[in-house]
Amino acid sequence: MGVRSVKTSIIIPTYNGLELLMGCVQSIRKYTKSPYEIIVVDNGSLDGTLEFCLQEKITFIAIASNLGFPAACNLGMKISSGDALMLLNNDIVVSHNWLANQLNCLNSSDDIGIVGPYTNYASGRQQQTSSYLGIEQFHRFTQKRNQRNSELWMSVERLIGFCFLIKRSVVQQIGYLDELYSPGHFEDDDYCYRTRLAGYRLMIAGDVFVHHYGSASFIKDPIRFEELISINYNKFITKWGIDPHQFI
């Protein structure tokens, strides 16, 4: 009897980031061999995002105004049909074996709840220095870098939501992202903490490296960016009574 293929729902929130979204979708389609669906959740873009989704026959949710990252992810998760759910920033470019290797890690044990990769731009343990220049070099780099190797997997207490692969059972048990943190920041820290409280482990799939342009939605307004981090940091402490920085 054959083994049923695991389907992944790739949920991409976006807001006026058509060029980044196009690159992200193109890389998914080129480098993903596992069964998947793409769900774009558009936060009221005015840059042709919806027309692109229609043209490319991508499932999408159109929101009239910008509700932020957690709410967009939640809407996407609610209509998803995959066994695993991938929350993916629109400013990510994926490459060789990116999903297959993460799924291998996620499904290697019943108590692994969330998996994430390494990248060039992140906070904490998921950032690694890289020598490639440009996307073409990135894909050449990952051709060797993203070879399956479970010895590179590492258990951690925190993963960042730029490329966040979640078991369906985790979502069924603990629910969705907390929209208290809208428009974004620390909703991923919160979800990781809740996942660990439910008895699941978090893993870095060290045999996966993705390219991250980095905070594309927030960096346009650096003052607001810093304010949001401070506000949501305090929301986390108020909610849980602990400092999330201890998990970095």
Side-chain angles (χ1 to χ4, degrees):
M1 190 169 74
V3 177
R4 184 178 67 89
S5 296
V6 173
K7 177 182 174 183
T8 304
S9 297
I10 303 172
I11 298 156
I12 310 174
T14 190
Y15 174 64
N16 286 334
L18 178 58
E19 187 174 344
L20 290 168
L21 178 65
M22 290 170 67
C24 180
V25 169
Q26 181 184 41
S27 68
I28 291 169
R29 287 179 165 170
K30 184 172 182 179
Y31 292 102
T32 310
K33 297 177 181 177
S34 312
Y36 69 92
E37 65 176 350
I38 296 176
I39 300 172
V40 169
V41 186
D42 182 58
N43 265 317
S45 297
L46 301 172
D47 62 353
T49 292
L50 298 185
E51 290 80 0
F52 167 73
C53 290
L54 286 167
Q55 179 182 326
E56 295 296 316
K57 296 180 172 57
I58 296 170
T59 300
F60 68 90
I61 299 173
I63 306 172
S65 58
N66 189 356
L67 299 183
F69 185 83
C73 286
N74 289 344
L75 287 170
M77 286 194 282
K78 286 173 184 177
I79 71 162
S80 66
S81 61
D83 307 280
L85 295 86
M86 166 64 74
L87 306 184
L88 191 67
N89 283 17
N90 68 349
D91 61 346
I92 294 291
V93 177
V94 303
S95 195
H96 302 274
N97 304 319
W98 79 285
L99 184 56
N101 287 4
Q102 289 187 86
L103 285 171
N104 287 336
C105 182
L106 186 72
N107 295 317
S108 65
S109 177
D110 289 341
D111 71 342
I112 295 176
I114 310 176
V115 168
Y118 284 118
T119 188
N120 59 297
Y121 182 96
S123 64
R125 297 188 181 187
Q126 286 175 269
Q127 178 166 320
Q128 283 192 340
T129 55
S130 56
S131 58
Y132 63 84
L133 298 172
I135 294 302
E136 287 187 13
Q137 282 191 22
F138 161 68
H139 289 306
R140 289 198 294 271
F141 162 73
T142 55
Q143 194 165 13
K144 292 182 178 178
R145 173 66 180 75
N146 288 2
Q147 293 301 310
R148 183 175 179 178
N149 184 356
S150 61
E151 293 182 1
L152 299 178
W153 299 348
M154 179 172 65
S155 181
V156 291
E157 294 186 316
R158 171 188 186 250
L159 291 167
I160 308 167
F162 65 90
C163 184
F164 210 58
L165 184 64
I166 315 168
K167 270 194 182 124
R168 171 72 68 178
S169 58
V170 171
V171 179
Q172 290 170 338
Q173 185 171 346
I174 73 171
Y176 300 104
L177 299 180
D178 191 340
E179 296 178 20
L180 167 74
Y181 300 98
S182 293
H185 294 302
F186 287 97
E187 72 283 341
D188 44 3
D189 294 82
D190 181 279
Y191 206 79
C192 286
Y193 188 59
R194 288 158 57 198
T195 298
R196 291 195 295 113
L197 287 177
Y200 293 95
R201 288 186 292 147
L202 316 176
M203 300 290 290
I204 296 176
D207 50 357
V208 180
F209 193 100
V210 302
H211 179 75
H212 187 198
Y213 284 105
S215 298
S217 299
F218 290 101
I219 209 68
K220 297 172 185 175
D221 190 346
I223 295 175
R224 184 163 180 260
F225 178 74
E226 293 299 327
E227 287 177 349
L228 278 171
I229 290 175
S230 177
I231 290 168
N232 285 356
Y233 169 74
N234 287 313
K235 284 180 179 178
F236 186 101
I237 292 176
T238 300
K239 178 178 177 178
W240 295 110
I242 56 174
D243 185 346
H245 289 160
Q246 69 181 282
F247 304 127
I248 295 176

